[in-house]
Amino acid sequence: MRLRNIAGSREIIGESGFVVHSPERQKGNWPGIFGNNNPVHLEIGMGKGRFLMDMAKEHPAINYVGIEKYSSVLLRAVQKMEQEPAPLPNVRFIRMEAEAIADVFGQGEVGRIYLNFSDPWPKDRHAKRRLTSREFLSRYDKLLKPDGQLEFKTDNKELFAFSLEELEPAGWRAKEVTYDLHHDKGMMEGNIMTEYEERFSSMGNAICKYVAER
Ligand code: SAH
């Protein structure tokens, strides 16, 4: 998702209380940011933040952090947050490139990671950039609690096959897998649709999902 550069987006983001600036300074201090010891769950590549905000409303005792690399996209999430009738105390956003994630969260500081409709990077030579690659799995290793989970949804069959294959060599295993989430009663329980999920499923694409752990 890349929106045109929007004039002033960096300024608006800079002034938002929902955005954590200099996030590497908060490593080890996330309970301080939220003012409680509730679990912290991340969505990496959150886009406009709909999934994150709907999850936060549904689960007020979980703290949600959304990570997005483009300020023009993050701006949409900030604007959406400001339109909420009551601000959501359990949501924060970070504008950053996910590669540096282990600089921002300490060991075991994160209870769950969500990857929703991550960029496919179809060329083989770009495989390391896929957020489900073994390189990224070893980054998640550093911050995810030992019993923490990684949840991944996509409609891209090639990316999904690649992502499943990456788990074992990185020391992970798939606990649950479906190639058609919306017709899988068990895995659909509590499912919150993302923007891309709504778009692609309404076009008739099946949604694949795994839940993985170490
Ligand atoms: N999760 C949303 C958006 C999916 S599009 C949904 O399901 O509707 C993928 C998003 O991830 C884009 O907004 C893109 O800018 C962001 N993204 C891709 N690679 C990233 C990275 N390395 N670090 C942070 N954000 C990334």
Side-chain angles (χ1 to χ4, degrees):
M1 184 185 303
R2 179 134 203 202
L3 304 177
R4 260 180 312 118
N5 255 344
I6 298 163
S9 62
R10 278 186 192 267
E11 289 70 22
I12 293 168
I13 289 167
E15 284 160 17
S16 170
F18 300 115
V19 179
V20 177
H21 309 286
S22 314
E24 55 292 331
R25 278 199 228 141
Q26 303 305 333
K27 188 171 178 174
N29 181 44
W30 286 90
I33 292 263
F34 287 103
N36 61 50
N37 278 310
N38 292 344
V40 173
H41 293 182
L42 308 183
E43 185 186 8
I44 303 181
M46 69 158 176
K48 298 184 210 161
R50 170 177 146 180
F51 169 82
L52 200 80
M53 290 165 63
D54 285 350
M55 288 292 280
K57 287 177 205 166
E58 199 87 0
H59 307 283
I62 306 241
N63 296 324
Y64 290 91
V65 179
I67 291 168
E68 170 54 49
K69 73 172 160 182
Y70 291 120
S71 48
S72 56
V73 181
L74 181 59
L75 174 70
R76 301 298 185 200
V78 169
Q79 288 172 330
K80 202 141 115 204
M81 196 67 162
E82 278 161 5
Q83 282 160 12
E84 285 292 320
L88 300 170
N90 56 333
V91 175
R92 293 292 185 283
F93 304 130
I94 304 174
R95 198 206 61 75
M96 69 175 281
E97 160 59 56
E99 224 171 274
I101 192 82
D103 299 336
V104 168
F105 296 94
Q107 206 171 2
E109 225 177 357
V110 173
R112 194 176 297 178
I113 298 175
Y114 294 98
L115 303 173
N116 294 317
F117 299 82
S118 310
D119 295 353
W121 293 104
K123 292 195 178 109
D124 282 346
R125 67 187 158 87
H126 289 148
K128 287 184 185 170
R129 298 187 191 176
R130 298 174 193 149
L131 293 180
T132 52
S133 65
R134 61 191 74 183
E135 288 80 7
F136 271 96
L137 292 174
S138 74
R139 292 182 184 114
Y140 307 151
D141 236 350
K142 298 198 184 105
L143 40 111
L144 197 62
K145 284 190 194 313
D147 62 348
Q149 294 186 337
L150 174 65
E151 299 200 6
F152 173 49
K153 292 197 272 193
T154 183
D155 69 323
N156 184 315
K157 295 251 166 23
E158 291 76 29
L159 177 64
F160 193 63
F162 165 87
S163 304
L164 282 172
E165 281 169 16
E166 288 295 278
L167 291 172
E168 201 193 304
W172 295 65
R173 63 179 192 94
K175 202 178 148 215
E176 293 172 79
V177 177
T178 176
Y179 292 85
D180 191 359
L181 174 64
H182 292 184
H183 292 101
D184 184 314
K185 231 177 153 194
M187 285 185 78
M188 254 320 252
E189 212 172 293
N191 186 59
I192 297 271
M193 292 252 253
T194 79
E195 266 142 355
Y196 274 47
E197 182 173 355
E198 185 140 301
R199 191 188 308 168
F200 292 127
S201 62
S202 72
M203 286 163 53
N205 298 3
I207 307 300
C208 305
K209 176 173 179 176
Y210 76 49
V211 178
E213 57 186 17
R214 288 157 293 172

